Amino acid sequence: MNLTEAMKGRHSVRQYTDQPLNEAVISALQKEIDACNQESGLHIQLVTNEPKAFDGFMAHYGKFSGVTDYIAMIGKKGPTLDETCGYYGERLVLLAQQLGLNTCWVAMTYSKIRTAFEVRSGEKLCIVIAIGYGLTQGAPHKSKAFGDVAQIEGDVPNWFEKGIEAALLAPTAMNQQKFMFTLKDNQVSVKAGMGFYAKIDLGIVKYHFEVGAGETGWEWGA
């Protein structure tokens, strides 16, 4: 399964089986977490066999069940933290999909178990990602049209079209897809909409666009 296939096959899942993550899966996830931390300066941590975070009222209200494993997205406080967590978190989400796992971004409906992960001085727990073997594979979210999220004059380059297609597959808060891409010459810009977690969504969407558009023929603009 390549990344494009992972994006198409990955949907949010809230109910999980009791199948534990095996050593090979944990090793693959940890290797990528280490790489993401090295590249980004984040302090991402994989938490396994920890059922308390998703055993409270809010988790049950959010219809979560069977969650014992999750990724804690942690980093230094600052204006770019949310976007960075979104970008690298989605990189891990798509790897999880390639490994046969299911995931769900979780902003509020969980309990912070302080002994399960380390938050150093000056750091913040931004968001968590539930991970495991889902009871189902989830369902696709509704997507906006190309013109609702992209502004461009003239012909649409194939790489830009592919990038937007990938961006529209990205998970966003309440599936609202509050982002707007613009293209000028070969420079792509994207702005987040208003609302909670919009910057996290922005990071997720930027990673999807990069995967869809490929590495050549364009660059990020201001």
Side-chain angles (χ1 to χ4, degrees), residues 20-211:
L21 305 184
N22 63 45
E23 290 185 9
V25 165
I26 291 174
S27 177
L29 288 170
Q30 190 60 57
K31 181 179 179 180
E32 186 68 359
I33 286 171
D34 291 343
C36 288
N37 284 337
Q38 180 69 28
E39 186 176 316
S40 67
L42 293 173
H43 189 198
I44 306 167
Q45 295 159 59
L46 176 64
V47 180
T48 59
N49 194 28
E50 198 295 283
K52 295 180 182 179
F54 287 85
D55 196 33
F57 169 78
M58 289 300 291
H60 291 300
Y61 178 78
K63 298 183 179 178
F64 285 95
S65 66
V67 181
T68 60
D69 308 291
Y70 54 94
I71 298 170
M73 300 301 300
I74 298 167
K76 293 180 181 178
K77 297 176 183 177
T80 62
L81 176 60
D82 283 2
E83 182 180 332
T84 305
C85 282
Y87 183 94
Y88 286 95
E90 187 64 8
R91 180 167 147 179
L92 294 168
V93 160
L94 294 182
L95 171 64
Q97 188 71 25
Q98 291 176 310
L99 293 171
L101 301 170
N102 302 101
T103 52
C104 185
W105 285 88
V106 190
M108 294 183 66
T109 47
Y110 67 97
S111 302
K112 296 178 182 179
I113 309 301
R114 297 296 184 183
T115 56
F117 46 80
E118 179 189 20
V119 180
R120 299 169 183 152
S121 176
E123 290 185 339
K124 172 187 173 183
L125 172 64
C126 187
I127 197 167
V128 304
I129 302 166
I131 190 168
Y133 296 97
L135 289 174
T136 71
Q137 293 301 306
H141 61 254
K142 293 181 180 179
S143 283
K144 292 181 177 179
F146 179 96
D148 294 328
V149 298
Q151 295 177 337
I152 180 173
E153 296 180 3
D155 296 335
V156 180
N158 181 257
W159 58 262
F160 186 75
E161 185 175 6
K162 295 293 185 183
I164 296 299
E165 288 176 359
L168 287 169
L169 293 171
T172 57
M174 307 298 292
N175 294 324
Q176 292 184 342
Q177 297 182 322
K178 291 183 177 180
F179 53 85
M180 178 61 67
F181 283 86
T182 57
L183 174 63
K184 185 175 182 180
D185 298 324
N186 68 333
Q187 290 198 330
V188 178
S189 300
V190 58
K191 291 185 178 181
M194 300 297 291
F196 293 112
Y197 313 113
K199 293 294 180 65
I200 292 175
D201 290 349
L202 181 64
I204 296 171
V205 165
K206 287 179 79 169
Y207 184 70
H208 270 240
F209 184 90
E210 287 181 5
V211 171

